[in-house]
Amino acid sequence: MGVVIRLGRISYVNMAPVFHRLMHEVEEISGVPTELNRMLLAGEIDIAPISSIEYARNATRLRLLPRLCVSSEGAVDSIQLVTRMPLGRVRSVAVTPESATSVVLTRVLIPRAELLPLEAAADADAKLLIGDAALKSAFEDPTPHYDLGRLWLERTGLPMVFAVWAAPEPVVDGLLQLQEALVASVRLARSEPERLAYEASERYGYPPGFLARYFEKLRYSFGPRERAGFYTFLEMARDVGELAQVPELRFLQDEEVPVA
């Protein structure tokens, strides 16, 4: 009997398709993205979706799963800039402490804006929300919301990769088998969208129809377009001073035909 893999799970509803019917024995450890980033780099978990920018900052210590990411091509719904001002006039943004990638993406898209802690939202021109807080706000708050996935697509014409699945070196055994189980779970979730939406609704509290539309916007396959978008984001992060250099992507195994 092998060692049970410690698998990180982002605590947001965006993970529902990946864990829909995961047929693999794991120890599931849940947290917001920045918590998982820290735990992964500390060796407290064996594999997890990690913020794209944090992977890049620590790439020499990590290996990537070649078939999985968390991305969107256009609007993603769960990363929202909320402001009553036109975007061109925004000079300060109160940002969530939960996601490193979204904060850097804000800097890339609105380079002149000062980034403030979220508790300073009352004094900022805009606030950045991610995950379930962003979904809830878009659902309930009539203030204009700017979807960072859509803004990114308008700027680059490419998907935005928010998270990649990474493992600290030395990697534990069995990760490629786990990857196959995760991909199979996504495939099954895609094949039964109503069941996915209803089960996620029971767990997270959003209406099933709302979740069904949200899941349609998410992508989990780390294909050629996603990799191009990932590199583009890292280059732009470097250009605004958020990354020293763009790393080489080092995969657990070189598979060029992702399916998810």
Side-chain angles (χ1 to χ4, degrees), residues 212-229:
R213 290 189 295 275
Y214 173 55
F215 292 140
E216 286 176 1
K217 296 174 181 178
L218 293 172
R219 300 287 181 269
Y220 299 96
S221 174
F222 203 10
R225 281 182 56 74
E226 287 78 21
R227 294 185 189 189

Side-chain angles (χ1 to χ4, degrees), residues 41 47 50 55-68 164-171 175-176 179 222 227 230-231 234 245-256:
L41 294 167
I47 181 80
I50 184 173
Y55 163 76
R57 289 167 175 162
N58 297 277
T60 58
R61 302 164 53 192
L62 299 168
R63 290 277 178 175
L64 289 171
L65 290 185
R67 300 180 66 184
L68 286 166
V164 289
W165 292 72
E169 293 184 308
V171 300
L175 291 183
L176 289 175
Q179 174 181 245
F222 203 10
R227 294 185 189 189
F230 187 39
Y231 269 122
L234 297 183
Q245 61 186 32
V246 177
E248 175 190 358
L249 304 188
R250 299 188 310 136
F251 294 97
L252 270 168
Q253 179 176 301
D254 194 18
E255 293 176 26
E256 291 302 327

Side-chain angles (χ1 to χ4, degrees), residues 100-110 148-149 152 160 162 233:
T101 292
S102 302
V103 171
V104 174
L105 181 57
T106 301
R107 192 178 291 285
V108 164
L109 293 171
I110 315 175
L148 294 198
W152 171 260
M160 176 63 205
F162 301 102
F233 171 65

Side-chain angles (χ1 to χ4, degrees), residues 159-217:
M160 176 63 205
V161 175
F162 301 102
V164 289
W165 292 72
E169 293 184 308
V171 300
V172 299
D173 291 338
L175 291 183
L176 289 175
Q177 290 84 351
L178 173 58
Q179 174 181 245
E180 296 310 304
L182 292 165
V183 168
S185 179
V186 173
R187 280 181 174 156
L188 185 60
R190 295 299 195 205
S191 74
E192 46 187 31
E194 289 186 359
R195 175 177 288 185
L196 170 70
Y198 276 104
E199 291 183 2
S201 174
E202 289 183 355
R203 176 167 178 155
Y204 293 95
Y206 298 99
F210 176 80
L211 288 178
R213 290 189 295 275
Y214 173 55
F215 292 140
E216 286 176 1
K217 296 174 181 178

Side-chain angles (χ1 to χ4, degrees), residues 9-29:
R9 174 175 182 163
I10 297 171
S11 55
Y12 305 146
V13 68
N14 65 358
M15 284 289 106
V18 185
F19 287 84
H20 178 59
R21 291 291 184 274
L22 179 60
M23 306 300 287
H24 200 287
E25 186 181 0
V26 296
E27 179 188 349
E28 194 178 300
I29 299 166

